[in-house]
Amino acid sequence: MRWTQTFIPTLKETPADAEIVSHKLMLRAGLVRKLTGGLYTFLPLGLRVLRKVEQIVREEMDRAGAIEVFMPALQPPEIWQQSGRYVTAREVLYKVKDRANKEWLLGPTHEEVITTLVAGEISSYRQLPRNFYQIQTKFRDEIRPRFGLMRAKEFIMKDAYSFDVTDAAAQVSYQKMYDAYTRIFARCGLRTLPVEADTGVIGGKFSHEFMVPADTGENEVVYCESGSYAANLEKATSGGPLEPTPTRSTGPAPEKFPTPGVFTIEALTAPPYGVAAPAQIKTLVLMVKRSEEAESEPVLVLLRGDDQLNEAKFAGALGTNVFRPATPEEVFAVLGAHPGSLGAVAATLKTPNLRVLADTALRGAAGMTTGANEDGFHFRHVDLDRDVRVTDWADLRTVRAGERGPVNGQPLKLRRAIEVGHVFKLGTKYSEALHALYLDEAGHQHPCVMGCYGIGITRTVQAIIEQCNDRDGIVWPLTTAPFAVCLTPLNVAPDHPAFRLAQTWHDELTARGVEVLLDDRDERPGVKFKDADLIGFPLRVNLGEKSLARDEVELKPRREGLRAVKVEHALSAILEWLDTESGRLAEGTGRSGDSARNDRSTAA
Ligand code: ATP
Ligand code: MG
């Protein structure tokens, strides 16, 4: 391919609204252009990368025995009503009307469609297991589309859905996808960390997210250096806070004392009070709905003063996603005081059967301080078991760095990451709702046991850039680069020896299946080099007049220094370099990546 025959609008300046490095580089390298927030056009180079990622995904899904299909993006709302997600997923659903004013949905995902297909086509255990996948555009009405392709309104996903006869069989399908994902990301040249992920209200142990460590990621990952544990912060557990919770009673009964103007845990740690945060009880009021139709009910949540509520754990403990913090008016109605003076000491509760959910770090806590449900007053000498009527105990706190890991007690670390893939054991939620049933050998009917497996293809493209870049631009791994080699003749007159040589090599390399871009622009060398480095072709070959006079050309691998080679050896040097480079990546695949090896224990 010749540069002037394609379309590569590189930019010298960084567009003002691009915040993170990968977004800036995608725009500057001419890979994509923004139509409007969350909607992007792929330009030729970006499209080449996209196709490569898709191809890798396809090969590995096929290798894992998944079957490619292609489902409609436009979906009837009825199947979403049947699964219940017409309501629970309403925030992300784009709805459109046809000429008869009938409503349709633009699919954010395809569980409902695939389960409907399977309900119609599969009826016997003999037809199982099956795993269907597709690579397709999804639509999600995201609250905050941002960071380019990372969080878009329209994006490409690979989604796969497995159907099995039993839980144990579903586990095998799950593991196949887990292994395929490990290979996919390694082949893409991405270092990923598979982490245990929140399973939400569905529950269960089997969900992993594939995370790309990056400071700009929207997720937080908890892990320990040895690799024995890695989890999304939403899910992570630990041996508990490092500083112990006081458990020695300090008085025979709670004692009320005045705390004028004190509304925070922190204010109570200061003189004259000097109550350490771990010796305080934090009281939150949340309004919870057990189902969509139900009324909101208040729930008191008790945490140690220095802990933060983990909302995913709270949702899991309650079995519903529908909750919100109470408004100050609601708080007042429930407890008769304003936030800052709240507490759960039984004697002060107006509503005796109020649900009180306490974090396990408070078990046995004694000699604690908490609000008195009277503005400007707190209680000291509070013993949990004696003075508070806890209805349920649960792990509700957010883990902090430095705490002991749950597997072998090693210190936990925290870092930000980008979720590129997700494997999830679904169980029978959709197969029951949409009647994907099979008959077993004895003729008994059961719902299929399902799994679902997503990879954000467009997000993966950008995550590679976020991980593989330097001062000068993108540094593509060979497997996902838009072109492997950029030939840069520094004179582009059609009969100039530099150009003629470049043209010959272009043809020869192309014939051997190497993807080559010939920079035939009549530009200064500096401009060509800068652009090639910005785009990040793995190998640049400079054909300059001075070196050609010495019968030499220059090989400039993107990650290495320049080296001169004799013209007669140049082609084999290029091929050799490409060989070594692809060997390096393949080796990465064989090892399945360090992080993958580390996490085996949690996926088994
Ligand atoms: P997130 O937590 O980032 O919103 P999700 O958990 O809702 O993602 P899934 O439903 O698991 O996403 O979708 C599978 C994959 O699709 C994700 O792992 C991610 O890579 C990608 N993805 C999800 N939402 C978007 C989006 N708005 N833009 C681009 N890619 C996305
Ligand atoms: Mg997810």
Side-chain angles (χ1 to χ4, degrees):
M1 175 69 73
R2 285 192 188 193
W3 195 296
T4 56
Q5 287 171 348
T6 178
F7 184 66
I8 311 176
T10 57
L11 302 173
K12 283 205 188 63
E13 304 296 330
T14 302
D17 61 344
E19 292 167 75
I20 64 175
V21 65
S22 53
H23 189 194
K24 292 177 186 169
L25 287 173
M26 267 190 331
L27 293 166
R28 286 193 55 212
L31 303 182
V32 299
R33 280 295 179 265
K34 176 164 139 179
L35 173 61
T36 177
L39 298 177
Y40 286 81
T41 297
F42 275 79
L43 300 179
L45 290 193
L47 187 59
R48 289 182 74 95
V49 177
L50 183 69
R51 294 287 179 245
K52 295 208 160 164
V53 173
E54 284 178 359
Q55 187 55 27
I56 290 171
V57 168
R58 219 170 238 126
E59 284 171 17
E60 294 299 338
M61 294 309 288
D62 293 346
R63 161 141 71 144
I67 305 161
E68 188 166 5
V69 295
F70 192 70
M71 295 177 253
L74 196 63
Q75 304 182 14
E78 289 76 12
I79 53 177
W80 285 75
Q81 268 144 1
Q82 228 173 314
S83 72
R85 286 207 292 188
Y86 186 79
V87 177
T88 54
R90 62 178 172 260
E91 266 130 30
V92 299
L93 289 176
Y94 278 112
K95 298 172 179 175
V96 294
K97 292 267 173 79
D98 67 14
R99 66 186 83 201
N101 212 32
K102 179 185 161 26
E103 185 181 84
W104 298 88
L105 306 178
L106 293 175
T109 175
H110 279 73
E111 280 82 2
E112 283 79 1
V113 178
I114 195 72
T115 312
T116 303
L117 178 87
V118 168
E121 302 299 323
I122 286 179
S123 55
S124 159
Y125 72 95
R126 285 194 212 89
Q127 296 165 287
L128 297 171
R130 280 282 189 265
N131 186 342
F132 296 105
Y133 81 98
Q134 67 171 346
I135 295 176
Q136 201 217 27
T137 300
K138 305 284 188 235
F139 301 87
R140 292 188 185 179
D141 189 359
E142 298 279 358
I143 319 176
R144 251 188 107 192
R146 58 176 188 158
F147 298 160
L149 307 175
M150 292 291 189
R151 187 164 297 285
K153 293 177 172 145
E154 179 183 325
F155 60 97
I156 299 176
M157 197 202 287
K158 184 286 299 174
D159 43 328
Y161 307 90
S162 63
F163 294 81
D164 277 283
V165 286
T166 59
D167 233 44
Q171 185 53 37
V172 173
S173 299
Y174 181 90
Q175 189 62 41
K176 276 189 192 161
M177 286 295 103
Y178 183 100
D179 293 340
Y181 276 35
T182 304
R183 283 195 300 271
I184 286 168
F185 294 120
R187 282 185 62 187
C188 286
L190 258 182
R191 269 177 291 113
T192 53
L193 176 68
V195 306
E196 289 177 26
D198 179 42
T199 45
V201 290
I202 293 179
K205 184 171 176 286
F206 294 104
S207 173
H208 286 85
E209 288 162 338
F210 284 74
M211 294 287 191
V212 176
D215 294 340
T216 55
E218 292 187 282
N219 289 270
E220 280 200 273
V221 163
V222 176
Y223 65 101
C224 73
E225 210 62 73
S226 72
S228 64
Y229 184 68
N232 192 315
L233 182 62
E234 291 181 343
K235 161 97 179 176
T237 59
S238 76
L242 285 183
E243 226 178 307
T245 308
T247 50
R248 230 181 55 208
S249 192
T250 50
E255 176 190 271
K256 194 165 20 169
F257 64 104
T259 50
V262 169
F263 296 109
T264 60
I265 299 284
E266 205 188 345
L268 209 56
T269 64
Y273 311 106
V275 185
Q280 297 186 43
I281 303 170
K282 182 186 276 184
T283 308
L284 308 173
V285 186
L286 288 136
M287 301 303 289
V288 177
K289 277 187 174 194
R290 278 166 201 274
S291 66
E292 281 299 327
E293 307 74 40
E295 291 280 308
S296 287
E297 329 165 15
V299 173
L300 286 200
V301 177
L302 307 185
L303 294 160
R304 234 173 70 156
D306 54 339
D307 275 336
Q308 301 294 333
L309 177 66
N310 183 319
E311 293 192 358
K313 290 183 182 177
F314 180 73
L318 280 162
T320 172
N321 271 327
V322 195
F323 59 86
R324 59 172 173 82
T327 62
E329 295 73 40
E330 286 167 334
V331 168
F332 194 83
V334 175
L335 293 176
H338 291 105
S341 307
L342 307 180
V345 172
T348 69
L349 293 184
K350 295 201 297 184
T351 331
N353 54 359
L354 191 62
R355 187 154 178 202
V356 180
L357 202 58
D359 177 65
T360 42
L362 286 174
R363 268 200 200 277
M368 304 292 283
T369 298
T370 189
N373 287 331
E374 190 177 332
D375 290 340
F377 288 92
H378 279 75
F379 280 122
R380 52 168 75 106
H381 312 315
V382 175
D383 296 0
L384 253 282
D385 295 336
R386 183 189 65 197
D387 306 319
V388 178
R389 200 183 43 79
V390 174
T391 34
D392 310 88
W393 291 92
D395 174 18
L396 298 171
R397 64 188 291 276
T398 304
V399 162
R400 280 177 279 165
E403 290 173 3
R404 304 279 156 206
V407 176
N408 57 7
Q410 287 206 337
L412 294 175
K413 296 190 162 189
L414 235 87
R415 68 161 312 168
R416 300 201 75 84
I418 302 161
E419 178 198 327
V420 285
H422 193 172
V423 293
F424 200 112
K425 217 169 111 184
L426 276 175
T428 55
K429 174 178 156 133
Y430 296 95
S431 48
E432 281 178 45
L434 293 147
H435 313 300
L437 311 170
Y438 72 92
L439 291 175
D440 67 16
E441 262 174 286
H444 300 302
Q445 203 168 44
H446 309 274
C448 296
V449 184
M450 290 174 61
C452 68
Y453 317 94
I455 291 182
I457 303 275
T458 39
R459 187 185 282 182
T460 297
V461 167
Q462 195 178 331
I464 298 171
I465 302 173
E466 190 68 25
Q467 192 169 77
C468 308
N469 68 77
D470 65 12
R471 225 181 27 207
D472 299 319
I474 305 170
V475 185
W476 285 111
L478 190 56
T479 47
T480 44
F483 287 95
V485 180
C486 182
L487 297 173
T488 314
L490 300 176
N491 188 315
V492 294
D495 48 5
H496 191 278
F499 186 77
R500 286 220 311 268
L501 191 56
Q503 183 65 58
T504 312
W505 287 353
H506 170 274
D507 296 348
E508 213 156 307
L509 287 168
T510 306
R512 288 169 186 259
V514 178
E515 294 172 308
V516 196
L517 185 67
L518 171 54
D519 187 353
D520 59 342
R521 293 176 301 164
D522 190 8
E523 288 283 3
R524 284 178 294 112
V527 171
K528 293 190 170 201
F529 294 164
K530 268 210 159 61
D531 274 351
D533 285 354
L534 171 64
I535 296 166
F537 304 110
L539 182 63
R540 165 157 59 86
V541 181
N542 303 336
L543 300 93
E545 296 183 58
K546 274 194 210 136
S547 12
L548 278 178
R550 288 194 303 274
D551 204 29
E552 282 177 355
V553 293
E554 292 166 345
L555 263 52
K556 172 67 182 77
R558 182 63 177 78
R559 285 183 294 108
E560 303 161 33
L562 198 93
R563 101 182 121 95
V565 291
K566 286 291 173 206
V567 167
E568 58 172 321
H569 299 134
L571 261 188
S572 53
I574 293 170
L575 290 168
E576 205 173 295
W577 187 87
L578 292 172
D579 243 23
T580 315
E581 191 62 13
S582 54
R584 209 178 55 80
L585 269 167
E587 194 186 317
T589 326
R591 280 190 287 116
S592 304
D594 298 343
S595 47
R597 195 176 47 229
N598 290 342
D599 201 49
R600 251 331 115 70
S601 55
T602 59

PDB file of all heavy atoms in Angstrom, residues 9 13 57 75 96 104 179 201 206 398 401 422 430 483 509 597:
ATOM      1  N   PRO A   9      -4.618  11.006   8.073  1.00  0.00           N
ATOM      2  CA  PRO A   9      -4.510  12.412   8.492  1.00  0.00           C
ATOM      3  C   PRO A   9      -3.874  12.547   9.879  1.00  0.00           C
ATOM      4  O   PRO A   9      -4.569  12.658  10.876  1.00  0.00           O
ATOM      5  CB  PRO A   9      -5.968  12.873   8.495  1.00  0.00           C
ATOM      6  CG  PRO A   9      -6.754  11.627   8.806  1.00  0.00           C
ATOM      7  CD  PRO A   9      -5.959  10.459   8.313  1.00  0.00           C
ATOM      8  N   GLU A  13      -0.709  18.677  16.495  1.00  0.00           N
ATOM      9  CA  GLU A  13      -1.211  19.146  17.800  1.00  0.00           C
ATOM     10  C   GLU A  13      -2.175  18.109  18.372  1.00  0.00           C
ATOM     11  O   GLU A  13      -2.882  17.435  17.636  1.00  0.00           O
ATOM     12  CB  GLU A  13      -1.972  20.469  17.631  1.00  0.00           C
ATOM     13  CG  GLU A  13      -1.183  21.572  16.962  1.00  0.00           C
ATOM     14  CD  GLU A  13       0.028  22.001  17.768  1.00  0.00           C
ATOM     15  OE1 GLU A  13      -0.039  21.899  19.010  1.00  0.00           O
ATOM     16  OE2 GLU A  13       1.038  22.398  17.155  1.00  0.00           O
ATOM     17  N   VAL A  57      -9.349 -12.700  17.784  1.00  0.00           N
ATOM     18  CA  VAL A  57     -10.470 -13.154  18.609  1.00  0.00           C
ATOM     19  C   VAL A  57     -11.188 -14.317  17.918  1.00  0.00           C
ATOM     20  O   VAL A  57     -11.471 -15.353  18.520  1.00  0.00           O
ATOM     21  CB  VAL A  57     -11.447 -11.989  18.884  1.00  0.00           C
ATOM     22  CG1 VAL A  57     -12.748 -12.493  19.491  1.00  0.00           C
ATOM     23  CG2 VAL A  57     -10.788 -10.957  19.791  1.00  0.00           C
ATOM     24  N   GLN A  75     -33.623  -5.066  18.387  1.00  0.00           N
ATOM     25  CA  GLN A  75     -34.266  -6.163  19.118  1.00  0.00           C
ATOM     26  C   GLN A  75     -35.671  -5.784  19.589  1.00  0.00           C
ATOM     27  O   GLN A  75     -35.911  -4.634  19.931  1.00  0.00           O
ATOM     28  CB  GLN A  75     -33.413  -6.530  20.345  1.00  0.00           C
ATOM     29  CG  GLN A  75     -31.977  -6.887  19.983  1.00  0.00           C
ATOM     30  CD  GLN A  75     -31.170  -7.295  21.198  1.00  0.00           C
ATOM     31  OE1 GLN A  75     -31.706  -7.559  22.275  1.00  0.00           O
ATOM     32  NE2 GLN A  75     -29.848  -7.368  21.029  1.00  0.00           N
ATOM     33  N   VAL A  96     -36.045   2.989  20.035  1.00  0.00           N
ATOM     34  CA  VAL A  96     -36.459   3.693  18.823  1.00  0.00           C
ATOM     35  C   VAL A  96     -37.880   3.279  18.468  1.00  0.00           C
ATOM     36  O   VAL A  96     -38.343   2.211  18.865  1.00  0.00           O
ATOM     37  CB  VAL A  96     -35.517   3.398  17.631  1.00  0.00           C
ATOM     38  CG1 VAL A  96     -34.145   3.965  17.887  1.00  0.00           C
ATOM     39  CG2 VAL A  96     -35.431   1.904  17.345  1.00  0.00           C
ATOM     40  N   TRP A 104     -38.671  -0.367  19.518  1.00  0.00           N
ATOM     41  CA  TRP A 104     -37.604  -1.353  19.313  1.00  0.00           C
ATOM     42  C   TRP A 104     -36.413  -0.932  20.157  1.00  0.00           C
ATOM     43  O   TRP A 104     -36.283   0.232  20.522  1.00  0.00           O
ATOM     44  CB  TRP A 104     -37.206  -1.413  17.835  1.00  0.00           C
ATOM     45  CG  TRP A 104     -38.344  -1.837  16.967  1.00  0.00           C
ATOM     46  CD1 TRP A 104     -39.277  -1.021  16.406  1.00  0.00           C
ATOM     47  CD2 TRP A 104     -38.688  -3.164  16.607  1.00  0.00           C
ATOM     48  NE1 TRP A 104     -40.200  -1.761  15.702  1.00  0.00           N
ATOM     49  CE2 TRP A 104     -39.839  -3.090  15.808  1.00  0.00           C
ATOM     50  CE3 TRP A 104     -38.132  -4.420  16.875  1.00  0.00           C
ATOM     51  CZ2 TRP A 104     -40.464  -4.220  15.276  1.00  0.00           C
ATOM     52  CZ3 TRP A 104     -38.735  -5.538  16.332  1.00  0.00           C
ATOM     53  CH2 TRP A 104     -39.891  -5.442  15.546  1.00  0.00           C
ATOM     54  N   ASP A 179      -9.402 -19.613  29.162  1.00  0.00           N
ATOM     55  CA  ASP A 179      -8.120 -19.914  28.526  1.00  0.00           C
ATOM     56  C   ASP A 179      -8.002 -19.210  27.170  1.00  0.00           C
ATOM     57  O   ASP A 179      -6.938 -18.714  26.814  1.00  0.00           O
ATOM     58  CB  ASP A 179      -7.954 -21.430  28.357  1.00  0.00           C
ATOM     59  CG  ASP A 179      -7.823 -22.127  29.707  1.00  0.00           C
ATOM     60  OD1 ASP A 179      -7.487 -21.446  30.705  1.00  0.00           O
ATOM     61  OD2 ASP A 179      -8.068 -23.350  29.774  1.00  0.00           O
ATOM     62  N   VAL A 201     -26.162  -9.429  41.692  1.00  0.00           N
ATOM     63  CA  VAL A 201     -27.232 -10.085  42.429  1.00  0.00           C
ATOM     64  C   VAL A 201     -27.407 -11.537  42.000  1.00  0.00           C
ATOM     65  O   VAL A 201     -28.077 -12.306  42.671  1.00  0.00           O
ATOM     66  CB  VAL A 201     -28.565  -9.310  42.299  1.00  0.00           C
ATOM     67  CG1 VAL A 201     -28.472  -8.009  43.053  1.00  0.00           C
ATOM     68  CG2 VAL A 201     -28.925  -9.067  40.858  1.00  0.00           C
ATOM     69  N   PHE A 206     -18.174 -17.473  39.971  1.00  0.00           N
ATOM     70  CA  PHE A 206     -17.475 -17.524  38.712  1.00  0.00           C
ATOM     71  C   PHE A 206     -17.707 -16.343  37.804  1.00  0.00           C
ATOM     72  O   PHE A 206     -18.643 -16.312  37.011  1.00  0.00           O
ATOM     73  CB  PHE A 206     -17.773 -18.832  38.005  1.00  0.00           C
ATOM     74  CG  PHE A 206     -17.202 -19.967  38.773  1.00  0.00           C
ATOM     75  CD1 PHE A 206     -18.016 -20.784  39.523  1.00  0.00           C
ATOM     76  CD2 PHE A 206     -15.831 -20.157  38.802  1.00  0.00           C
ATOM     77  CE1 PHE A 206     -17.475 -21.815  40.275  1.00  0.00           C
ATOM     78  CE2 PHE A 206     -15.280 -21.183  39.550  1.00  0.00           C
ATOM     79  CZ  PHE A 206     -16.107 -22.016  40.288  1.00  0.00           C
ATOM     80  N   THR A 398     -14.868  -1.704  51.960  1.00  0.00           N
ATOM     81  CA  THR A 398     -13.952  -1.665  50.833  1.00  0.00           C
ATOM     82  C   THR A 398     -12.546  -1.946  51.354  1.00  0.00           C
ATOM     83  O   THR A 398     -12.090  -1.311  52.305  1.00  0.00           O
ATOM     84  CB  THR A 398     -13.989  -0.270  50.166  1.00  0.00           C
ATOM     85  OG1 THR A 398     -15.341  -0.003  49.805  1.00  0.00           O
ATOM     86  CG2 THR A 398     -13.113  -0.222  48.944  1.00  0.00           C
ATOM     87  N   ALA A 401      -5.323  -0.885  50.648  1.00  0.00           N
ATOM     88  CA  ALA A 401      -3.977  -1.367  50.340  1.00  0.00           C
ATOM     89  C   ALA A 401      -3.249  -1.694  51.637  1.00  0.00           C
ATOM     90  O   ALA A 401      -3.435  -1.016  52.646  1.00  0.00           O
ATOM     91  CB  ALA A 401      -3.215  -0.316  49.549  1.00  0.00           C
ATOM     92  N   HIS A 422     -14.640  -9.987  29.911  1.00  0.00           N
ATOM     93  CA  HIS A 422     -15.398 -10.420  31.078  1.00  0.00           C
ATOM     94  C   HIS A 422     -15.934 -11.822  30.790  1.00  0.00           C
ATOM     95  O   HIS A 422     -16.586 -12.031  29.774  1.00  0.00           O
ATOM     96  CB  HIS A 422     -16.545  -9.426  31.296  1.00  0.00           C
ATOM     97  CG  HIS A 422     -17.205  -9.559  32.626  1.00  0.00           C
ATOM     98  ND1 HIS A 422     -18.133  -8.664  33.083  1.00  0.00           N
ATOM     99  CD2 HIS A 422     -17.067 -10.488  33.581  1.00  0.00           C
ATOM    100  CE1 HIS A 422     -18.542  -9.035  34.291  1.00  0.00           C
ATOM    101  NE2 HIS A 422     -17.900 -10.137  34.611  1.00  0.00           N
ATOM    102  N   TYR A 430     -31.512 -16.672  32.408  1.00  0.00           N
ATOM    103  CA  TYR A 430     -32.111 -16.382  31.102  1.00  0.00           C
ATOM    104  C   TYR A 430     -32.790 -17.603  30.502  1.00  0.00           C
ATOM    105  O   TYR A 430     -33.827 -17.483  29.854  1.00  0.00           O
ATOM    106  CB  TYR A 430     -31.062 -15.825  30.142  1.00  0.00           C
ATOM    107  CG  TYR A 430     -30.538 -14.496  30.627  1.00  0.00           C
ATOM    108  CD1 TYR A 430     -29.376 -14.411  31.383  1.00  0.00           C
ATOM    109  CD2 TYR A 430     -31.250 -13.330  30.372  1.00  0.00           C
ATOM    110  CE1 TYR A 430     -28.918 -13.204  31.871  1.00  0.00           C
ATOM    111  CE2 TYR A 430     -30.802 -12.114  30.856  1.00  0.00           C
ATOM    112  CZ  TYR A 430     -29.638 -12.057  31.601  1.00  0.00           C
ATOM    113  OH  TYR A 430     -29.198 -10.861  32.094  1.00  0.00           O
ATOM    114  N   PHE A 483       0.387  -1.730   9.821  1.00  0.00           N
ATOM    115  CA  PHE A 483       1.329  -2.311   8.862  1.00  0.00           C
ATOM    116  C   PHE A 483       2.559  -2.722   9.663  1.00  0.00           C
ATOM    117  O   PHE A 483       2.943  -2.031  10.611  1.00  0.00           O
ATOM    118  CB  PHE A 483       1.752  -1.286   7.799  1.00  0.00           C
ATOM    119  CG  PHE A 483       0.666  -0.983   6.804  1.00  0.00           C
ATOM    120  CD1 PHE A 483      -0.174   0.118   6.997  1.00  0.00           C
ATOM    121  CD2 PHE A 483       0.484  -1.767   5.668  1.00  0.00           C
ATOM    122  CE1 PHE A 483      -1.180   0.407   6.088  1.00  0.00           C
ATOM    123  CE2 PHE A 483      -0.527  -1.478   4.752  1.00  0.00           C
ATOM    124  CZ  PHE A 483      -1.364  -0.391   4.967  1.00  0.00           C
ATOM    125  N   LEU A 509       7.978  -7.952  -0.489  1.00  0.00           N
ATOM    126  CA  LEU A 509       7.494  -8.237   0.873  1.00  0.00           C
ATOM    127  C   LEU A 509       5.998  -8.535   0.848  1.00  0.00           C
ATOM    128  O   LEU A 509       5.513  -9.455   1.517  1.00  0.00           O
ATOM    129  CB  LEU A 509       7.794  -7.057   1.810  1.00  0.00           C
ATOM    130  CG  LEU A 509       9.267  -6.904   2.209  1.00  0.00           C
ATOM    131  CD1 LEU A 509       9.501  -5.543   2.882  1.00  0.00           C
ATOM    132  CD2 LEU A 509       9.711  -8.030   3.136  1.00  0.00           C
ATOM    133  N   ARG A 597      -1.074 -17.132  34.590  1.00  0.00           N
ATOM    134  CA  ARG A 597      -0.594 -18.279  35.340  1.00  0.00           C
ATOM    135  C   ARG A 597      -0.929 -18.097  36.820  1.00  0.00           C
ATOM    136  O   ARG A 597      -1.354 -19.002  37.495  1.00  0.00           O
ATOM    137  CB  ARG A 597       0.911 -18.408  35.146  1.00  0.00           C
ATOM    138  CG  ARG A 597       1.414 -19.775  35.580  1.00  0.00           C
ATOM    139  CD  ARG A 597       2.893 -19.913  35.296  1.00  0.00           C
ATOM    140  NE  ARG A 597       3.630 -18.776  35.737  1.00  0.00           N
ATOM    141  CZ  ARG A 597       4.526 -18.127  34.999  1.00  0.00           C
ATOM    142  NH1 ARG A 597       4.749 -18.498  33.770  1.00  0.00           N
ATOM    143  NH2 ARG A 597       5.167 -17.101  35.474  1.00  0.00           N
TER     144      ARG A 597
END
